[in-house]
Amino acid sequence: TRVISGDQDCCHKNYYLYRDTMGNREWQVWPWDVDLSYGRRWISTHNYWDDAMVIDTRMPVGDNNGLLAAIYTTPEMDQMYWRRQRTLMDEFLQAPGTPPELLRLERRIEELVPLLAPDAALDLAKWGTWCCAGAGPYTEASIPVKTNWQTLRQAADLIKVGYLPHRRTYLFATMLAGAGGKIPAAQPANAQVWITAVEANPSSG
């Protein structure tokens, strides 16, 4: 899921390890601090406020973490990782050429903008906004001085137009297996699982 959102602020920090001790006793990696996603990176003097959308973020995410790197370099887990990524691409990001009215992420953005707008306006009025490598707070009175201040609508449109279409092309074309990447082709619509044997009482116990 971090690949789908282009999140890169992981995993030398910004994650929890959680064990479901009272349930299935399995471990999960839970992300936090996911502000550098959907095209945003901290790679220029404008950091958060750099409007150059980055579409070619690295994969797999978290290979700078010793635990995750060990998982990714296990051949069976590596195959599972890339197949799972393809499933999430097909389900959430959706392939280039998908009719606009069917795009899930764009539709969700349009649902969230009117819900967030009142709180965003109150937040801006109370706190202003910071920009450009510590240049200082900007309030409504100083907005004309600041050249790259965005409204919520503009920021949402930047993700919809400046990031998602290009991210789709990058993942579904450039990063496919055989084209320079490791992402497999889509699962056939008529794929079937065949169980060839059942061992009800294995000798190993």
Side-chain angles (χ1 to χ4, degrees), residues 144-204:
V145 178
K146 183 176 177 300
T147 58
N148 65 343
W149 182 82
Q150 289 178 339
T151 65
L152 176 62
R153 177 75 268 170
Q154 290 169 328
D157 287 343
L158 183 59
I159 295 174
K160 287 177 57 180
V161 177
Y163 178 72
L164 289 174
H166 306 288
R167 184 67 169 169
R168 286 188 179 98
T169 300
Y170 177 70
L171 292 181
F172 281 93
T174 307
M175 295 309 296
L176 279 184
K182 297 180 70 174
I183 298 172
Q187 182 77 272
N190 61 347
Q192 294 179 312
V193 175
W194 291 89
I195 299 175
T196 57
V198 174
E199 191 173 0
N201 188 24
S203 59
S204 65

Short mmCIF file of all heavy atoms in Angstrom, two decimals, residues 144-204:
data_model
loop_
_atom_site.label_atom_id
_atom_site.label_comp_id
_atom_site.label_asym_id
_atom_site.label_seq_id
_atom_site.Cartn_x
_atom_site.Cartn_y
_atom_site.Cartn_z
N PRO A 144 -0.54 37.19 -0.45
CA PRO A 144 -0.04 37.71 -1.73
C PRO A 144 1.48 37.69 -1.87
O PRO A 144 2.00 37.65 -2.97
CB PRO A 144 -0.57 39.14 -1.75
CG PRO A 144 -1.79 39.10 -0.90
CD PRO A 144 -1.45 38.13 0.19
N VAL A 145 2.19 37.68 -0.74
CA VAL A 145 3.65 37.67 -0.78
C VAL A 145 4.16 36.28 -1.15
O VAL A 145 5.20 36.14 -1.78
CB VAL A 145 4.22 38.10 0.58
CG1 VAL A 145 5.74 38.06 0.58
CG2 VAL A 145 3.70 39.47 0.95
N LYS A 146 3.41 35.29 -0.82
CA LYS A 146 3.82 33.91 -1.01
C LYS A 146 3.32 33.42 -2.36
O LYS A 146 2.15 33.47 -2.64
CB LYS A 146 3.27 33.05 0.12
CG LYS A 146 3.70 31.61 0.06
CD LYS A 146 3.16 30.90 1.29
CE LYS A 146 3.51 29.42 1.24
NZ LYS A 146 2.95 28.75 0.10
N THR A 147 4.23 32.95 -3.18
CA THR A 147 3.85 32.64 -4.56
C THR A 147 3.29 31.24 -4.74
O THR A 147 2.63 30.98 -5.73
CB THR A 147 5.08 32.78 -5.48
OG1 THR A 147 6.11 31.91 -5.02
CG2 THR A 147 5.58 34.21 -5.48
N ASN A 148 3.56 30.31 -3.83
CA ASN A 148 3.11 28.95 -4.08
C ASN A 148 2.14 28.44 -3.03
O ASN A 148 2.05 27.25 -2.78
CB ASN A 148 4.31 28.00 -4.18
CG ASN A 148 5.08 27.89 -2.87
OD1 ASN A 148 4.93 28.71 -1.98
ND2 ASN A 148 5.89 26.86 -2.75
N TRP A 149 1.42 29.34 -2.40
CA TRP A 149 0.39 28.92 -1.47
C TRP A 149 -0.75 28.28 -2.23
O TRP A 149 -1.18 28.77 -3.28
CB TRP A 149 -0.12 30.12 -0.66
CG TRP A 149 -1.15 29.77 0.35
CD1 TRP A 149 -0.92 29.27 1.60
CD2 TRP A 149 -2.56 29.87 0.21
NE1 TRP A 149 -2.10 29.06 2.25
CE2 TRP A 149 -3.13 29.42 1.41
CE3 TRP A 149 -3.40 30.30 -0.82
CZ2 TRP A 149 -4.51 29.39 1.62
CZ3 TRP A 149 -4.77 30.27 -0.61
CH2 TRP A 149 -5.31 29.82 0.60
N GLN A 150 -1.26 27.15 -1.74
CA GLN A 150 -2.32 26.42 -2.43
C GLN A 150 -3.58 26.38 -1.58
O GLN A 150 -3.51 26.25 -0.36
CB GLN A 150 -1.90 24.98 -2.69
CG GLN A 150 -0.86 24.82 -3.75
CD GLN A 150 -0.48 23.35 -3.89
OE1 GLN A 150 -0.70 22.56 -2.98
NE2 GLN A 150 0.08 23.00 -5.02
N THR A 151 -4.70 26.42 -2.27
CA THR A 151 -5.96 26.11 -1.60
C THR A 151 -6.08 24.59 -1.49
O THR A 151 -5.34 23.84 -2.14
CB THR A 151 -7.15 26.65 -2.41
OG1 THR A 151 -7.20 25.95 -3.66
CG2 THR A 151 -7.03 28.14 -2.65
N LEU A 152 -7.01 24.13 -0.69
CA LEU A 152 -7.28 22.70 -0.58
C LEU A 152 -7.67 22.14 -1.95
O LEU A 152 -7.22 21.06 -2.34
CB LEU A 152 -8.39 22.45 0.44
CG LEU A 152 -8.86 21.01 0.60
CD1 LEU A 152 -7.74 20.12 1.08
CD2 LEU A 152 -10.05 20.96 1.55
N ARG A 153 -8.46 22.88 -2.69
CA ARG A 153 -8.89 22.45 -4.01
C ARG A 153 -7.70 22.29 -4.96
O ARG A 153 -7.60 21.31 -5.70
CB ARG A 153 -9.88 23.46 -4.58
CG ARG A 153 -10.39 23.21 -5.98
CD ARG A 153 -11.40 22.09 -6.03
NE ARG A 153 -10.80 20.79 -6.29
CZ ARG A 153 -11.47 19.65 -6.18
NH1 ARG A 153 -12.73 19.65 -5.80
NH2 ARG A 153 -10.89 18.50 -6.44
N GLN A 154 -6.80 23.25 -4.94
CA GLN A 154 -5.63 23.18 -5.81
C GLN A 154 -4.74 22.00 -5.45
O GLN A 154 -4.21 21.32 -6.34
CB GLN A 154 -4.84 24.49 -5.73
CG GLN A 154 -5.54 25.67 -6.38
CD GLN A 154 -4.86 26.99 -6.06
OE1 GLN A 154 -4.29 27.16 -4.98
NE2 GLN A 154 -4.93 27.93 -6.99
N ALA A 155 -4.57 21.76 -4.17
CA ALA A 155 -3.74 20.65 -3.73
C ALA A 155 -4.36 19.32 -4.14
O ALA A 155 -3.65 18.40 -4.58
CB ALA A 155 -3.54 20.70 -2.22
N ALA A 156 -5.68 19.21 -4.00
CA ALA A 156 -6.36 17.98 -4.42
C ALA A 156 -6.23 17.77 -5.92
O ALA A 156 -5.98 16.65 -6.38
CB ALA A 156 -7.83 18.05 -4.01
N ASP A 157 -6.38 18.84 -6.68
CA ASP A 157 -6.27 18.72 -8.14
C ASP A 157 -4.85 18.35 -8.56
O ASP A 157 -4.66 17.65 -9.56
CB ASP A 157 -6.68 20.03 -8.81
CG ASP A 157 -8.19 20.24 -8.76
OD1 ASP A 157 -8.92 19.26 -8.50
OD2 ASP A 157 -8.64 21.39 -8.97
N LEU A 158 -3.85 18.81 -7.82
CA LEU A 158 -2.47 18.45 -8.14
C LEU A 158 -2.27 16.95 -8.02
O LEU A 158 -1.60 16.33 -8.85
CB LEU A 158 -1.50 19.21 -7.24
CG LEU A 158 -0.01 18.98 -7.51
CD1 LEU A 158 0.35 19.37 -8.94
CD2 LEU A 158 0.84 19.75 -6.51
N ILE A 159 -2.85 16.34 -7.01
CA ILE A 159 -2.76 14.89 -6.86
C ILE A 159 -3.51 14.20 -7.99
O ILE A 159 -3.01 13.25 -8.61
CB ILE A 159 -3.32 14.44 -5.49
CG1 ILE A 159 -2.46 14.98 -4.35
CG2 ILE A 159 -3.38 12.91 -5.42
CD1 ILE A 159 -3.03 14.71 -2.98
N LYS A 160 -4.70 14.68 -8.29
CA LYS A 160 -5.54 14.05 -9.32
C LYS A 160 -4.95 14.16 -10.71
O LYS A 160 -5.04 13.23 -11.51
CB LYS A 160 -6.93 14.68 -9.31
CG LYS A 160 -7.80 14.30 -8.12
CD LYS A 160 -9.13 15.02 -8.18
CE LYS A 160 -9.87 14.75 -9.48
NZ LYS A 160 -11.16 15.46 -9.54
N VAL A 161 -4.37 15.31 -11.02
CA VAL A 161 -3.90 15.57 -12.39
C VAL A 161 -2.38 15.42 -12.51
O VAL A 161 -1.87 14.90 -13.50
CB VAL A 161 -4.34 16.98 -12.85
CG1 VAL A 161 -3.80 17.28 -14.24
CG2 VAL A 161 -5.86 17.10 -12.82
N GLY A 162 -1.65 15.89 -11.50
CA GLY A 162 -0.20 15.91 -11.59
C GLY A 162 0.49 14.65 -11.10
O GLY A 162 1.66 14.43 -11.40
N TYR A 163 -0.24 13.81 -10.34
CA TYR A 163 0.40 12.63 -9.78
C TYR A 163 -0.22 11.32 -10.27
O TYR A 163 0.46 10.50 -10.89
CB TYR A 163 0.37 12.67 -8.25
CG TYR A 163 0.99 11.44 -7.63
CD1 TYR A 163 2.37 11.24 -7.67
CD2 TYR A 163 0.20 10.47 -7.04
CE1 TYR A 163 2.94 10.10 -7.13
CE2 TYR A 163 0.76 9.32 -6.50
CZ TYR A 163 2.13 9.13 -6.54
OH TYR A 163 2.70 8.00 -6.02
N LEU A 164 -1.48 11.10 -9.97
CA LEU A 164 -2.08 9.78 -10.18
C LEU A 164 -1.98 9.27 -11.63
O LEU A 164 -1.61 8.10 -11.84
CB LEU A 164 -3.53 9.78 -9.70
CG LEU A 164 -3.70 9.84 -8.17
CD1 LEU A 164 -5.17 9.98 -7.81
CD2 LEU A 164 -3.10 8.61 -7.51
N PRO A 165 -2.29 10.08 -12.66
CA PRO A 165 -2.16 9.54 -14.02
C PRO A 165 -0.74 9.11 -14.36
O PRO A 165 -0.53 8.07 -15.00
CB PRO A 165 -2.62 10.71 -14.91
CG PRO A 165 -3.43 11.58 -14.02
CD PRO A 165 -2.82 11.45 -12.66
N HIS A 166 0.25 9.88 -13.91
CA HIS A 166 1.64 9.56 -14.20
C HIS A 166 2.13 8.37 -13.38
O HIS A 166 2.93 7.57 -13.85
CB HIS A 166 2.51 10.79 -13.95
CG HIS A 166 2.03 12.00 -14.68
ND1 HIS A 166 2.17 12.15 -16.05
CD2 HIS A 166 1.38 13.12 -14.25
CE1 HIS A 166 1.64 13.30 -16.43
NE2 HIS A 166 1.17 13.91 -15.36
N ARG A 167 1.64 8.27 -12.16
CA ARG A 167 1.98 7.11 -11.33
C ARG A 167 1.44 5.83 -11.95
O ARG A 167 2.10 4.80 -11.96
CB ARG A 167 1.42 7.31 -9.92
CG ARG A 167 1.79 6.21 -8.93
CD ARG A 167 3.25 6.19 -8.63
NE ARG A 167 3.56 5.32 -7.49
CZ ARG A 167 4.79 4.97 -7.15
NH1 ARG A 167 5.82 5.43 -7.82
NH2 ARG A 167 4.98 4.18 -6.12
N ARG A 168 0.23 5.90 -12.49
CA ARG A 168 -0.34 4.73 -13.16
C ARG A 168 0.54 4.28 -14.32
O ARG A 168 0.85 3.09 -14.46
CB ARG A 168 -1.74 5.06 -13.69
CG ARG A 168 -2.80 5.14 -12.64
CD ARG A 168 -4.19 5.28 -13.23
NE ARG A 168 -5.15 5.32 -12.14
CZ ARG A 168 -5.66 6.46 -11.66
NH1 ARG A 168 -5.33 7.62 -12.21
NH2 ARG A 168 -6.51 6.43 -10.65
N THR A 169 0.93 5.22 -15.16
CA THR A 169 1.77 4.87 -16.30
C THR A 169 3.08 4.27 -15.85
O THR A 169 3.56 3.28 -16.41
CB THR A 169 2.02 6.11 -17.18
OG1 THR A 169 0.76 6.61 -17.65
CG2 THR A 169 2.92 5.78 -18.35
N TYR A 170 3.66 4.84 -14.80
CA TYR A 170 4.95 4.35 -14.30
C TYR A 170 4.82 2.92 -13.81
O TYR A 170 5.64 2.06 -14.15
CB TYR A 170 5.44 5.27 -13.18
CG TYR A 170 6.72 4.81 -12.54
CD1 TYR A 170 7.93 4.88 -13.23
CD2 TYR A 170 6.74 4.32 -11.24
CE1 TYR A 170 9.12 4.46 -12.66
CE2 TYR A 170 7.92 3.90 -10.65
CZ TYR A 170 9.10 3.97 -11.36
OH TYR A 170 10.28 3.54 -10.78
N LEU A 171 3.81 2.64 -12.99
CA LEU A 171 3.69 1.30 -12.41
C LEU A 171 3.18 0.28 -13.42
O LEU A 171 3.69 -0.84 -13.48
CB LEU A 171 2.77 1.34 -11.19
CG LEU A 171 3.29 2.10 -9.97
CD1 LEU A 171 2.28 2.03 -8.84
CD2 LEU A 171 4.64 1.57 -9.52
N PHE A 172 2.18 0.63 -14.21
CA PHE A 172 1.56 -0.33 -15.11
C PHE A 172 2.33 -0.55 -16.40
O PHE A 172 2.06 -1.50 -17.12
CB PHE A 172 0.13 0.11 -15.44
CG PHE A 172 -0.87 -0.19 -14.36
CD1 PHE A 172 -1.17 0.76 -13.41
CD2 PHE A 172 -1.52 -1.41 -14.31
CE1 PHE A 172 -2.10 0.50 -12.41
CE2 PHE A 172 -2.45 -1.68 -13.31
CZ PHE A 172 -2.74 -0.73 -12.36
N ALA A 173 3.28 0.32 -16.72
CA ALA A 173 4.03 0.16 -17.96
C ALA A 173 5.53 0.05 -17.68
O ALA A 173 6.15 -0.99 -17.93
CB ALA A 173 3.75 1.33 -18.90
N THR A 174 6.11 1.09 -17.13
CA THR A 174 7.56 1.14 -16.95
C THR A 174 8.08 0.06 -16.02
O THR A 174 9.14 -0.51 -16.26
CB THR A 174 7.98 2.53 -16.42
OG1 THR A 174 7.43 3.53 -17.27
CG2 THR A 174 9.48 2.67 -16.34
N MET A 175 7.33 -0.25 -14.96
CA MET A 175 7.83 -1.17 -13.95
C MET A 175 7.32 -2.59 -14.09
O MET A 175 7.50 -3.42 -13.19
CB MET A 175 7.49 -0.64 -12.55
CG MET A 175 8.17 0.68 -12.21
SD MET A 175 9.96 0.66 -12.51
CE MET A 175 10.49 -0.58 -11.32
N LEU A 176 6.72 -2.91 -15.23
CA LEU A 176 6.27 -4.28 -15.45
C LEU A 176 7.47 -5.21 -15.63
O LEU A 176 8.51 -4.81 -16.15
CB LEU A 176 5.39 -4.36 -16.70
CG LEU A 176 3.92 -3.98 -16.55
CD1 LEU A 176 3.19 -4.21 -17.85
CD2 LEU A 176 3.25 -4.73 -15.41
N ALA A 177 7.30 -6.45 -15.22
CA ALA A 177 8.32 -7.46 -15.48
C ALA A 177 8.53 -7.56 -16.98
O ALA A 177 7.57 -7.63 -17.75
CB ALA A 177 7.87 -8.80 -14.90
N GLY A 178 9.78 -7.53 -17.38
CA GLY A 178 10.10 -7.57 -18.80
C GLY A 178 10.30 -6.19 -19.39
O GLY A 178 10.81 -6.04 -20.49
N ALA A 179 9.87 -5.16 -18.66
CA ALA A 179 10.03 -3.78 -19.14
C ALA A 179 10.95 -2.98 -18.24
O ALA A 179 10.99 -1.76 -18.32
CB ALA A 179 8.67 -3.09 -19.25
N GLY A 180 11.64 -3.66 -17.35
CA GLY A 180 12.56 -2.99 -16.45
C GLY A 180 12.22 -3.12 -14.99
O GLY A 180 12.99 -2.72 -14.13
N GLY A 181 11.04 -3.68 -14.69
CA GLY A 181 10.62 -3.82 -13.30
C GLY A 181 10.31 -5.26 -12.95
O GLY A 181 10.66 -6.19 -13.68
N LYS A 182 9.62 -5.45 -11.82
CA LYS A 182 9.31 -6.80 -11.34
C LYS A 182 7.81 -7.00 -11.12
O LYS A 182 7.40 -8.01 -10.56
CB LYS A 182 10.06 -7.06 -10.04
CG LYS A 182 11.57 -7.05 -10.20
CD LYS A 182 12.28 -7.31 -8.87
CE LYS A 182 12.10 -8.73 -8.40
NZ LYS A 182 12.89 -9.03 -7.19
N ILE A 183 7.01 -6.04 -11.55
CA ILE A 183 5.57 -6.16 -11.33
C ILE A 183 4.99 -7.14 -12.35
O ILE A 183 5.17 -6.97 -13.56
CB ILE A 183 4.89 -4.78 -11.46
CG1 ILE A 183 5.42 -3.83 -10.38
CG2 ILE A 183 3.37 -4.91 -11.35
CD1 ILE A 183 4.96 -2.39 -10.54
N PRO A 184 4.29 -8.19 -11.90
CA PRO A 184 3.77 -9.18 -12.83
C PRO A 184 2.55 -8.66 -13.60
O PRO A 184 1.96 -7.64 -13.24
CB PRO A 184 3.37 -10.35 -11.92
CG PRO A 184 3.07 -9.70 -10.60
CD PRO A 184 4.01 -8.53 -10.49
N ALA A 185 2.21 -9.39 -14.65
CA ALA A 185 1.01 -9.05 -15.41
C ALA A 185 -0.22 -9.31 -14.55
O ALA A 185 -0.16 -9.98 -13.51
CB ALA A 185 0.95 -9.89 -16.68
N ALA A 186 -1.34 -8.79 -14.99
CA ALA A 186 -2.59 -8.97 -14.24
C ALA A 186 -2.96 -10.45 -14.20
O ALA A 186 -2.67 -11.22 -15.11
CB ALA A 186 -3.70 -8.16 -14.89
N GLN A 187 -3.62 -10.83 -13.12
CA GLN A 187 -4.11 -12.20 -12.99
C GLN A 187 -5.19 -12.45 -14.04
O GLN A 187 -6.06 -11.61 -14.24
CB GLN A 187 -4.71 -12.38 -11.59
CG GLN A 187 -5.23 -13.76 -11.29
CD GLN A 187 -4.13 -14.74 -10.98
OE1 GLN A 187 -3.59 -15.37 -11.88
NE2 GLN A 187 -3.78 -14.88 -9.72
N PRO A 188 -5.17 -13.59 -14.72
CA PRO A 188 -6.24 -13.88 -15.67
C PRO A 188 -7.60 -13.89 -14.97
O PRO A 188 -7.72 -14.32 -13.82
CB PRO A 188 -5.88 -15.29 -16.19
CG PRO A 188 -4.41 -15.42 -15.94
CD PRO A 188 -4.14 -14.63 -14.69
N ALA A 189 -8.60 -13.43 -15.66
CA ALA A 189 -9.94 -13.35 -15.06
C ALA A 189 -10.48 -14.72 -14.71
O ALA A 189 -11.30 -14.86 -13.80
CB ALA A 189 -10.89 -12.62 -16.02
N ASN A 190 -10.04 -15.76 -15.43
CA ASN A 190 -10.56 -17.11 -15.20
C ASN A 190 -9.57 -18.00 -14.45
O ASN A 190 -9.60 -19.23 -14.59
CB ASN A 190 -10.94 -17.76 -16.53
CG ASN A 190 -9.73 -17.89 -17.46
OD1 ASN A 190 -8.68 -17.28 -17.21
ND2 ASN A 190 -9.86 -18.67 -18.52
N ALA A 191 -8.68 -17.39 -13.67
CA ALA A 191 -7.68 -18.17 -12.93
C ALA A 191 -8.37 -19.12 -11.96
O ALA A 191 -9.38 -18.78 -11.33
CB ALA A 191 -6.75 -17.25 -12.17
N GLN A 192 -7.84 -20.35 -11.86
CA GLN A 192 -8.39 -21.34 -10.95
C GLN A 192 -7.27 -21.94 -10.11
O GLN A 192 -6.13 -22.02 -10.54
CB GLN A 192 -9.08 -22.46 -11.74
CG GLN A 192 -10.32 -22.00 -12.50
CD GLN A 192 -10.94 -23.16 -13.27
OE1 GLN A 192 -10.26 -23.90 -13.97
NE2 GLN A 192 -12.24 -23.30 -13.13
N VAL A 193 -7.62 -22.34 -8.91
CA VAL A 193 -6.69 -23.03 -8.02
C VAL A 193 -7.05 -24.51 -8.01
O VAL A 193 -8.21 -24.86 -7.76
CB VAL A 193 -6.75 -22.46 -6.59
CG1 VAL A 193 -5.86 -23.27 -5.65
CG2 VAL A 193 -6.35 -21.00 -6.57
N TRP A 194 -6.07 -25.35 -8.31
CA TRP A 194 -6.29 -26.79 -8.32
C TRP A 194 -5.60 -27.41 -7.12
O TRP A 194 -4.40 -27.25 -6.93
CB TRP A 194 -5.74 -27.41 -9.60
CG TRP A 194 -6.51 -27.02 -10.82
CD1 TRP A 194 -6.29 -25.94 -11.61
CD2 TRP A 194 -7.65 -27.69 -11.36
NE1 TRP A 194 -7.22 -25.89 -12.62
CE2 TRP A 194 -8.07 -26.95 -12.50
CE3 TRP A 194 -8.36 -28.85 -11.00
CZ2 TRP A 194 -9.16 -27.33 -13.28
CZ3 TRP A 194 -9.44 -29.23 -11.77
CH2 TRP A 194 -9.83 -28.48 -12.90
N ILE A 195 -6.36 -28.12 -6.29
CA ILE A 195 -5.81 -28.86 -5.16
C ILE A 195 -5.54 -30.27 -5.65
O ILE A 195 -6.47 -31.00 -6.02
CB ILE A 195 -6.78 -28.85 -3.97
CG1 ILE A 195 -7.01 -27.40 -3.52
CG2 ILE A 195 -6.23 -29.70 -2.83
CD1 ILE A 195 -8.05 -27.26 -2.42
N THR A 196 -4.28 -30.66 -5.67
CA THR A 196 -3.91 -31.94 -6.25
C THR A 196 -3.76 -33.05 -5.21
O THR A 196 -3.77 -34.22 -5.54
CB THR A 196 -2.59 -31.81 -7.01
OG1 THR A 196 -1.58 -31.34 -6.13
CG2 THR A 196 -2.75 -30.82 -8.17
N ALA A 197 -3.62 -32.67 -3.93
CA ALA A 197 -3.50 -33.69 -2.89
C ALA A 197 -3.85 -33.08 -1.54
O ALA A 197 -3.66 -31.88 -1.31
CB ALA A 197 -2.09 -34.27 -2.86
N VAL A 198 -4.38 -33.90 -0.66
CA VAL A 198 -4.65 -33.47 0.71
C VAL A 198 -4.04 -34.52 1.64
O VAL A 198 -4.32 -35.71 1.51
CB VAL A 198 -6.17 -33.37 0.99
CG1 VAL A 198 -6.41 -33.06 2.46
CG2 VAL A 198 -6.81 -32.31 0.10
N GLU A 199 -3.18 -34.06 2.54
CA GLU A 199 -2.55 -34.96 3.50
C GLU A 199 -3.11 -34.65 4.87
O GLU A 199 -2.72 -33.69 5.52
CB GLU A 199 -1.04 -34.80 3.46
CG GLU A 199 -0.31 -35.88 4.23
CD GLU A 199 1.20 -35.81 4.06
OE1 GLU A 199 1.67 -34.90 3.32
OE2 GLU A 199 1.91 -36.64 4.66
N ALA A 200 -4.07 -35.44 5.28
CA ALA A 200 -4.81 -35.14 6.50
C ALA A 200 -4.01 -35.44 7.77
O ALA A 200 -4.26 -34.86 8.82
CB ALA A 200 -6.11 -35.94 6.53
N ASN A 201 -3.05 -36.36 7.68
CA ASN A 201 -2.27 -36.74 8.85
C ASN A 201 -0.80 -36.85 8.48
O ASN A 201 -0.25 -37.95 8.37
CB ASN A 201 -2.79 -38.09 9.40
CG ASN A 201 -2.16 -38.44 10.73
OD1 ASN A 201 -1.71 -37.56 11.46
ND2 ASN A 201 -2.13 -39.72 11.02
N PRO A 202 -0.12 -35.70 8.28
CA PRO A 202 1.27 -35.75 7.83
C PRO A 202 2.17 -36.38 8.89
O PRO A 202 1.94 -36.25 10.08
CB PRO A 202 1.62 -34.27 7.61
CG PRO A 202 0.66 -33.53 8.47
CD PRO A 202 -0.61 -34.32 8.49
N SER A 203 3.20 -37.05 8.41
CA SER A 203 4.11 -37.75 9.31
C SER A 203 4.83 -36.77 10.24
O SER A 203 5.24 -37.13 11.34
CB SER A 203 5.12 -38.56 8.50
OG SER A 203 5.85 -37.71 7.63
N SER A 204 4.97 -35.51 9.78
CA SER A 204 5.69 -34.54 10.61
C SER A 204 4.83 -34.07 11.80
O SER A 204 5.33 -33.47 12.72
CB SER A 204 6.04 -33.32 9.76
OG SER A 204 4.86 -32.65 9.34
#
